[in-house]
C-alpha cells in the first residue's frame, strides 16, 4: 500500500493527544509519509484513509473518489450520532422523555438475529475497517446472520483491513475464535479472514489423501476449532495446528498423502 499524505481536519483541540499517538504509530510503520500536526489539524494524504469509528466522513469536492475528508466536529443531534453507528442493533438509544429511539429498525433486526449496517454498508466499513471483523465477531458470538448487502460489502472492502494495526486485528480475531459460531463464520467468510491471515489461505483446498482424514486441511481445521474449548489460546492453537501442512505435502507411490515435519514448518510459520 502506497502512502503519501492523508488529510485530517479537526475542530476539537482536545483530540490532539489522540493525533499524536496516531502520528507516532504511522510514522514508524510508514516513514515515507508526510505528517503534520498543528493546533487545529493533522495532515496526511493517501490512496487510502484512516478514519475513526462513528465519525462523519464525506468526499472532498474536486478530489478523486479515493480522497475523503474526515471531520471531527461532533453534532449535538442524537440522530446524527446514531446514523454513524456500525450496525442497526447498535444504533438504538433511550431518551427519558422519548423512550426508545430506534431510527434504523435495530429492534426488529435484534429480534430477527440479523446484522445490518446502518445506511450504506460500504461507507460504514470505509469509516473504520475494523467493523468488518466486528461484524464477523458478532456473528460468531451471537449466532446472528449477516444481511446480504452487509455481507457483500464485507467482501468488497476487505482489503481495507490491511491498514489496521495488528493489535486491533488480533483482538477481534481472538473474540471471533472464542465464539460458538467461529467455525461457521470462518468457513463462510474465509476470504475475508485470509486477508489478515494470508498464511492460512493454502490450507483451503489442500487435500490430505490419507485414510485418517476425510476433509481438506482447512475444513479439518475448522472442525478442530469447533471442538476446542472456547478459550483464546486453545482456539488459536486449533486454528494454527496444521498451518504447515500445505508446504510439506507429498504423495507416495501408493497415492497416500504425507505431511512430514509439518509441525516444525507450522511452528516457524506462526512464529514469523
Amino acid at each position: 500500500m502506497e502512502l503519501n499524505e492523508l488529510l485530517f481536519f479537526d475542530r476539537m483541540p482536545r483530540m490532539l493527544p489522540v493525533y499524536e499517538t496516531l502520528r507516532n504509530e504511522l510514522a514508524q510503520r510508514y516513514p515515507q509519509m508526510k505528517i503534520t500536526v498543528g493546533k487545529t489539524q493533522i495532515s496526511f494524504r493517501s490512496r487510502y484513509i484512516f478514519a475513526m469509528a462513528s465519525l462523519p466522513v464525506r468526499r472532498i469536492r474536486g478530489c478523486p473518489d479515493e480522497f475523503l475528508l474526515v471531520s471531527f466536529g461532533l453534532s449535538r443531534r442524537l440522530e446524527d450520532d446514531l446514523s454513524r453507528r456500525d450496525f442497526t442493533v447498535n444504533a438504538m438509544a433511550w431518551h427519558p422523555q422519548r423512550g426508545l429511539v430506534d431510527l434504523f429498525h435495530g429492534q426488529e433486526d435484534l429480534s430477527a438475529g440479523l446484522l445490518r449496517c446502518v445506511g450504506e454498508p460500504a461507507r460504514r466499513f470505509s469509516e473504520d475497517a475494523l467493523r468488518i471483523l466486528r461484524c464477523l465477531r458478532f456473528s460468531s458470538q451471537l449466532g446472528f446472520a449477516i444481511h446480504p448487502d452487509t455481507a457483500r460489502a464485507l467482501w468488497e472492502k476487505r482489503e481495507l483491513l490491511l491498514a489496521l494495526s495488528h493489535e486491533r486485528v488480533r483482538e477481534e480475531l481472538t473474540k471471533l475464535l472464542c465464539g460458538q459460531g467461529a467455525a461457521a463464520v470462518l468457513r463462510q467468510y474465509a476470504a475475508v479472514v485470509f486477508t489478515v491471515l494470508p498464511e492460512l489461505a493454502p490450507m483451503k483446498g489442500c487435500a490430505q489423501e490419507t485414510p485418517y482424514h476425510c476433509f481438506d486441511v482447512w475444513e479439518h481445521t475448522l472442525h478442530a476449532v469447533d471442538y476446542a474449548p472456547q478459550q483464546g489460546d486453545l482456539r488459536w492453537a486449533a486454528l494454527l495446528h496444521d498451518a504447515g501442512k500445505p508446504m510439506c505435502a507429498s504423495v507416495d507411490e501408493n497415492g497416500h498423502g504425507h505431511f512430514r515435519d509439518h509441525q516444525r514448518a507450522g511452528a516457524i510459520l506462526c512464529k514469523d
Side-chain angles (χ1 to χ4, degrees):
M1 182 174 63
E2 298 179 0
L3 292 170
N4 298 312
E5 190 179 36
L6 192 82
L7 297 178
F8 274 66
F9 292 89
D10 173 44
R11 297 196 300 274
M12 297 179 62
R14 68 175 181 271
M15 292 292 289
L16 284 177
V18 177
Y19 296 156
E20 291 286 355
T21 300
L22 179 63
R23 179 190 65 175
N24 294 337
E25 178 179 339
L26 292 179
Q28 292 178 2
R29 296 183 62 185
Y30 307 107
Q32 79 281 10
M33 182 170 57
K34 178 182 177 182
I35 305 175
T36 303
V37 178
K39 293 183 178 180
T40 58
Q41 72 177 42
I42 177 173
S43 300
F44 322 66
R45 178 168 291 177
S46 166
R47 288 195 299 121
Y48 299 86
I49 190 156
F50 294 83
M52 297 179 67
S54 71
L55 295 174
V57 178
R58 62 182 175 83
R59 301 284 177 186
I60 297 177
R61 292 181 181 178
C63 290
D65 287 344
E66 62 266 25
F67 289 90
L68 301 172
L69 173 65
V70 180
S71 170
F72 291 91
L74 298 182
S75 170
R76 293 179 178 271
R77 286 166 39 88
L78 174 62
E79 291 79 2
D80 292 336
D81 180 276
L82 296 180
S83 70
R84 296 191 296 268
R85 300 291 174 170
D86 47 9
F87 308 109
T88 59
V89 294
N90 289 334
M92 295 181 283
W94 179 264
H95 191 279
Q97 284 77 44
R98 297 165 60 185
L100 180 67
V101 180
D102 183 10
L103 305 177
F104 303 100
H105 309 289
Q107 192 173 32
E108 180 180 331
D109 286 343
L110 187 62
S111 298
L114 184 66
L115 290 169
R116 184 200 312 259
C117 281
V118 174
E120 182 183 346
R123 183 174 183 179
R124 295 287 83 83
F125 293 143
S126 295
E127 289 169 351
D128 184 0
L130 193 69
R131 290 171 168 173
I132 295 173
L133 295 181
R134 277 168 56 84
C135 185
L136 299 185
R137 187 248 292 187
F138 288 148
S139 181
S140 171
Q141 290 179 324
L142 304 174
F144 282 19
I146 299 175
H147 188 275
D149 292 343
T150 298
R152 189 177 306 111
L154 289 173
W155 295 95
E156 294 174 353
K157 295 296 181 179
R158 66 185 185 276
E159 294 297 325
L160 295 177
L161 293 170
L162 298 175
L164 296 174
S165 70
H166 296 168
E167 294 78 10
R168 298 181 77 199
V169 171
R170 182 184 64 230
E171 182 177 353
E172 287 298 326
L173 287 178
T174 301
K175 293 177 181 178
L176 186 164
L177 283 172
C178 291
Q180 290 185 348
V185 170
L186 292 171
R187 181 179 294 109
Q188 186 170 358
Y189 296 96
V192 178
V193 175
F194 293 159
T195 303
V196 290
L197 294 174
E199 298 84 359
L200 303 189
M203 297 165 65
K204 188 175 177 62
C206 180
Q208 303 205 71
E209 303 295 345
T210 76
Y212 313 107
H213 295 90
C214 57
F215 303 118
D216 69 9
V217 177
W218 179 242
E219 186 62 27
H220 163 80
T221 295
L222 297 184
H223 280 74
V225 168
D226 201 26
Y227 280 99
Q230 291 173 249
Q231 300 174 23
D233 53 351
L234 297 180
R235 284 286 173 100
W236 272 109
L239 181 68
L240 302 175
H241 82 282
D242 273 348
K245 274 191 172 180
M247 66 184 71
C248 298
S250 63
V251 180
D252 62 23
E253 62 276 7
N254 297 317
H256 294 159
H258 299 279
F259 303 93
R260 294 183 175 89
D261 214 25
H262 74 273
Q263 68 277 11
R264 187 183 305 275
I268 294 173
L269 179 68
C270 295
K271 184 177 180 179
D272 293 342

